[in-house]
Amino acid sequence: MATAIKRQYTDLTGVDFKNDETLVDLNRSPDALNIYKEYDGEGNCIRTRPGYEKLGEFGDIIYGIHFFSESVVLVHSGENLYLWDNFPSEPENPTVLKNDMNEHKSISFIFEDNLYINDGLNYVVYNGTTLADVSSIAFIPTTSIGRSPSGGGTQYQDVNLLQPKRINTFIGNGINTVYYLDASDIDDVISVKVDGVEVTNYGVNKPIGRIFFNDAPPPAPSISGVDNVEIVFSKNVAGYNDRIQKCTVSQVFDNRVFFTGNIAFKNTIFHCELNNPTYVSDLSYYQDGTSESAIKSITVGNNILWVFKEPNQENATVFYHVPQTDYEAGRIYPSKQGNVSTGCTSDSINFSDDIVFLSKYGLEGINGDIEQEQLLSHRSSLVDNKLINTSNFDKASMCEWKGYLLILADNRIFLADSRQKFQGINGIEYEWYYWELQSTSPSLLKEYKGNLYIGSTEGDIYILKGTNDDGEIIYSYWTTPMDAFGYSNMLKTTNKRGGVARIKTIPNGKIKVAERTNKRDERLITEKSSTGFDYNNIDYSNFAYTTKNESYIVYKIKEKKFLNISMKFYSDELDKPFGLYSMILEAFVGGYVKR
């Protein structure tokens, strides 16, 4: 008598593109599309992903979506920076705040209620009313204090890279009429004040940096430490402002902003002064490794600034900076080299306290004790076959959304689930899901307060929401592995009464069931194509829907003398999502395979 075997596919997770589909674990899928795991508190099911709805059209590729508030967004589209002040309603004649933006992905951060944006050409700030170049409002440092007319005094603050102005303060003596600045070859004198009152009775020798008063300024007050002559002048140093304006990467850390990504300073990180993004000292920078390889990304985790460089021959690609307090210099961030030689191809992120970056092999995570060892652990073995073979993988970007790490490469999104992990060969790995966006060409993803926004190369902005892709069908499916029921050398016959699936009840939802065996579509199985199978739809009349959170469907499959079988649960109709908890399939094991 034939032996009956019941297969239960439960605790469903994501995809496995790594193994032959006959070797995939029963709770994973060798071929699933546009599915993710929904965590809704009523039992976790896999289901059709949300669709996306268009919010606005801007006419050119979206390089940046920058939130000032819940209703005010600055959109970088082509060469324009737009003010969208009625977000998320459809923009009505959005104001062009700037028309010479760099055609490059832009980055931003909020600091003390101001929005700062870098695009590799500009560094601008928006305060809720106006947009300005940071250079126009940048902090003016007092570089020398307590100077006598002939010079000396105390060096006080460093030169600001972001603008050329400087201040010198002097102790007047009522005798000297010539005052020496702390710089020569100056551009201009902006203002001169004596005892707090601006005066004009002076001349300037710009090449030697001297001020000639018609009348000697009076003596300073007898109170120690009070200077009574203030001279504001400008001295432009070629390329200073470009050092920050041409950065393409920034990160807020330790109440400062760190900048990098300037191709002229490939291994350099700059940082602003404490709580002041408009002041970057010309001495506040660090160099990580040699200039032969560029810094690709910086990320903060565990009070450490992590620096990831592109692959190179020097075998030093990961550096880190731990804040320290120096008696003379104050807060410093010395560069330390990590024990990692795998380079970063595009991006890094702190994913739920896991520091990860993209290498040419996929997603890497850093494990170990920072002071003793840093072991690299691969996080994406289940999806590497697809992930690293996308045509623009070297330009892939990442963001976090609802506990998922999203990797955008071309029109594909790979999702790592922080709540589903397993022990891989070299450490902890994530379960993964896989989406394709068919009706748009995404240029970026942006998460804001739990919502996910998509910018497109066509100039549109979408929100992840709804049951269709801007009016188009979301084709979604989840397939079981090609299952031999534990007997790869023996034939099986299905029990047509043994098929049941537990599904999620979704308003207007619909689920279809299909199956295939080694006898069906044998050529396509050999090619292991993820699309193109001619699946056999099974008994849709048995679909059961209730008003409860879940229901069951019964499917009748009649297959004889097959080696292995795969089932497919899917939706291919407009606004018809599905959710799936588990399924059961029963078969009888028969005789051995014959030639």
Side-chain angles (χ1 to χ4, degrees):
M1 183 176 179
T3 302
I5 296 179
K6 181 185 295 184
R7 280 301 209 200
Q8 298 189 53
Y9 305 86
T10 60
D11 191 25
L12 304 180
T13 60
V15 297
D16 180 354
F17 298 145
K18 174 183 179 181
N19 294 300
D20 181 284
E21 59 181 330
T22 63
L23 302 177
V24 173
D25 291 346
L26 294 183
N27 63 336
R28 294 193 183 112
S29 173
D31 182 25
L33 177 66
N34 291 329
I35 295 292
Y36 77 119
K37 194 149 194 173
E38 180 181 57
Y39 297 90
D40 61 1
E42 299 177 336
N44 303 330
C45 70
I46 57 170
R47 62 161 295 165
T48 303
R49 67 162 169 81
Y52 48 86
E53 298 178 0
K54 186 183 294 184
L55 296 178
E57 300 178 2
F58 292 87
D60 208 340
I61 182 172
I62 303 298
Y63 288 114
I65 304 172
H66 307 290
F67 284 86
F68 179 77
S69 67
E70 293 185 4
S71 61
V72 178
V73 179
L74 272 60
V75 177
H76 178 188
S77 173
E79 294 183 334
N80 293 325
L81 186 64
Y82 294 94
L83 172 63
W84 188 353
D85 58 4
N86 64 329
F87 184 86
S89 300
E90 184 177 352
E92 300 175 358
N93 300 317
T95 303
V96 177
L97 298 178
K98 192 173 180 63
N99 61 9
D100 59 352
M101 295 289 287
N102 192 18
E103 294 188 88
H104 183 282
K105 182 181 178 181
S106 54
I107 54 173
S108 63
F109 57 89
I110 294 284
F111 208 104
E112 294 186 349
D113 298 326
N114 289 323
L115 173 66
Y116 294 83
I117 300 174
N118 265 104
D119 66 359
L121 184 62
N122 303 282
Y123 180 35
V124 297
V125 57
Y126 180 73
N127 63 7
T129 304
T130 59
L131 182 82
D133 288 333
V134 173
S135 61
S136 68
I137 53 91
F139 176 78
I140 303 173
T142 300
T143 53
S144 295
I145 60 175
R147 291 176 70 84
S148 67
S150 59
T154 302
Q155 182 179 342
Y156 184 50
Q157 294 172 324
D158 299 328
V159 171
N160 188 355
L161 292 177
L162 297 173
Q163 58 82 35
K165 298 176 184 177
R166 312 176 191 184
I167 300 173
N168 286 180
T169 60
F170 297 80
I171 301 173
N173 56 19
I175 299 173
N176 291 78
T177 58
V178 180
Y179 279 61
Y180 290 72
L181 301 175
D182 63 6
S184 58
D185 294 318
I186 68 172
D187 299 320
D188 200 5
V189 171
I190 309 301
S191 68
V192 177
K193 292 182 179 179
V194 176
D195 292 331
V197 178
E198 188 165 350
V199 299
T200 58
N201 61 334
Y202 62 87
V204 181
N205 186 320
K206 296 179 182 179
I208 62 175
R210 295 179 188 175
I211 304 297
F212 300 90
F213 288 95
N214 296 337
D215 301 304
S222 58
I223 301 175
S224 176
V226 176
D227 298 350
N228 70 325
V229 177
E230 177 192 271
I231 301 174
V232 182
F233 64 98
S234 64
K235 176 182 172 62
N236 185 64
V237 180
Y240 260 25
N241 197 15
D242 284 348
R243 293 187 183 185
I244 306 303
Q245 287 195 150
K246 292 186 177 180
C247 286
T248 57
V249 178
S250 67
Q251 183 72 59
V252 178
F253 176 58
D254 200 32
N255 294 318
R256 290 169 169 82
V257 183
F258 288 73
F259 304 88
T260 190
N262 186 332
I263 59 174
F265 297 87
K266 296 195 297 182
N267 65 329
T268 304
I269 292 179
F270 305 92
H271 69 77
C272 75
E273 296 304 295
L274 181 66
N275 295 321
N276 193 348
T278 74
Y279 181 22
V280 181
S281 162
D282 61 346
L283 301 180
S284 294
Y285 66 90
Y286 298 92
Q287 293 179 320
D288 290 334
T290 70
S291 60
E292 294 177 356
S293 60
I295 295 171
K296 301 294 289 187
S297 184
I298 54 178
T299 297
V300 172
N302 195 28
N303 198 35
I304 298 168
L305 181 70
W306 293 93
V307 178
F308 300 95
K309 301 186 69 177
E310 65 185 356
N312 64 89
Q313 299 299 317
E314 66 182 53
N315 294 324
T317 59
V318 176
F319 293 80
Y320 60 96
H321 300 257
V322 181
Q324 298 178 12
T325 300
D326 181 83
Y327 180 76
E328 294 183 355
R331 202 67 161 168
I332 59 174
Y333 307 87
S335 175
K336 297 184 179 181
Q337 180 178 315
N339 300 323
V340 176
S341 59
T342 300
C344 176
T345 56
S346 60
D347 202 3
S348 66
I349 195 171
N350 183 337
F351 176 43
S352 299
D353 294 326
D354 186 16
I355 304 301
V356 294
F357 68 95
L358 290 171
S359 77
K360 64 181 180 180
Y361 308 110
L363 186 71
E364 316 290 353
I366 295 179
N367 296 337
D369 187 336
I370 187 174
E371 296 296 338
Q372 298 179 14
E373 59 180 356
Q374 291 167 33
L375 302 178
L376 210 58
S377 177
H378 200 63
R379 303 279 198 254
S380 59
S381 64
L382 295 177
V383 294
D384 286 337
N385 288 345
K386 281 187 182 291
L387 176 62
I388 65 177
N389 289 313
T390 53
S391 58
N392 289 306
F393 176 63
D394 60 338
K395 297 180 178 62
S397 60
M398 298 189 287
C399 76
E400 188 173 352
W401 168 74
K402 291 188 175 181
Y404 287 99
L405 170 64
L406 276 57
I407 302 176
L408 174 65
D410 294 335
N411 70 325
R412 306 174 182 186
I413 299 177
F414 299 81
L415 299 88
D417 190 348
S418 64
R419 292 145 297 202
Q420 294 186 98
K421 303 174 184 178
F422 67 96
Q423 182 65 44
I425 296 176
N426 296 314
I428 297 298
E429 293 205 43
Y430 295 108
E431 299 289 348
W432 289 82
Y433 299 86
Y434 174 66
W435 297 355
E436 290 183 1
L437 309 183
Q438 298 293 350
S439 60
T440 187
S441 299
S443 56
L444 63 88
L445 303 177
K446 178 75 172 185
E447 188 276 340
Y448 182 72
K449 293 194 173 181
N451 290 318
L452 184 67
Y453 301 92
I454 304 169
S456 78
T457 59
E458 298 88 358
D460 303 320
I461 293 178
Y462 303 87
I463 184 174
L464 196 71
K465 181 181 180 183
T467 55
N468 63 70
D469 285 348
D470 199 33
E472 300 292 329
I473 294 171
I474 304 173
Y475 182 41
S476 59
Y477 59 84
W478 197 93
T479 65
T480 66
M482 271 307 247
D483 193 355
F485 288 76
Y487 295 89
S488 59
N489 61 338
M490 303 184 77
L491 298 174
K492 298 88 179 173
T493 298
T494 57
N495 181 352
K496 66 179 182 179
R497 298 179 180 179
V500 177
R502 177 171 160 246
I503 64 173
K504 181 178 178 64
T505 301
I506 299 175
N508 205 39
K510 186 173 184 179
I511 189 170
K512 295 183 179 180
V513 183
E515 57 89 12
R516 63 186 172 95
T517 71
N518 61 294
K519 295 169 62 176
R520 236 181 249 281
D521 306 317
E522 183 175 353
R523 181 181 64 84
L524 294 174
I525 292 173
T526 301
E527 295 179 3
K528 293 182 176 57
S529 172
S530 64
T531 60
F533 291 118
D534 184 16
Y535 288 95
N536 178 33
N537 294 335
I538 302 298
D539 197 5
Y540 301 147
S541 63
N542 287 325
F543 299 157
Y545 296 95
T546 72
T547 58
K548 297 179 180 179
N549 181 59
E550 61 183 71
S551 187
Y552 295 87
I553 57 172
V554 177
Y555 40 84
K556 299 176 181 179
I557 300 176
K558 300 177 182 180
E559 291 287 354
K560 296 180 179 181
K561 296 182 178 181
F562 62 87
L563 281 176
N564 41 40
I565 188 170
S566 173
M567 297 177 60
K568 178 182 180 183
F569 298 83
Y570 69 102
S571 171
D572 60 358
E573 298 182 28
L574 187 66
D575 296 321
K576 302 289 186 182
F578 79 90
L580 179 66
Y581 291 102
S582 62
M583 79 283 301
I584 296 174
L585 183 64
E586 192 170 83
F588 298 98
V589 178
Y592 289 100
V593 177
K594 297 179 181 180
R595 294 186 63 181

